Amino acid sequence: MPQLDTSTWFINIVSMFLTLFIVFQLKISKHSYLTHPEAKTTKMTKHLTPWESKWTKIYSPLSLPQQ
């Protein structure tokens, strides 16, 4: 059974990473970003839910009295 030749793996992996790096740099450089971004103003709206107005307690099944 022949041995697997791994002598070219290093150059293939390095060239792949270099190509990916160059491609991503080119893609990122084509984006135009705003020079002075401004924050959006958001309004806080209060939603009334039925469980906010009354006191509730959650009982664990293990803390219930034995029957």
Side-chain angles (χ1 to χ4, degrees):
M1 192 160 161
Q3 292 290 326
L4 182 62
D5 183 22
T6 59
S7 62
T8 58
W9 285 16
F10 178 74
I11 193 67
N12 284 336
I13 292 170
V14 170
S15 63
M16 176 195 66
F17 279 120
L18 181 65
T19 306
L20 282 173
F21 178 75
I22 292 171
V23 167
F24 278 105
Q25 290 295 318
L26 289 173
K27 286 179 78 66
I28 290 172
S29 68
K30 293 193 179 184
H31 284 287
S32 59
Y33 297 103
L34 296 175
T35 55
H36 299 292
E38 296 177 10
K40 283 186 173 181
T41 58
T42 57
K43 290 183 178 179
M44 296 296 289
T45 56
K46 177 83 171 140
H47 297 287
L48 293 176
T49 53
W51 55 83
E52 286 181 356
S53 59
K54 59 183 176 182
W55 179 82
T56 59
K57 185 172 183 180
I58 299 171
Y59 290 97
S60 170
L62 296 175
S63 69
L64 291 174
Q66 295 292 327
Q67 295 182 1

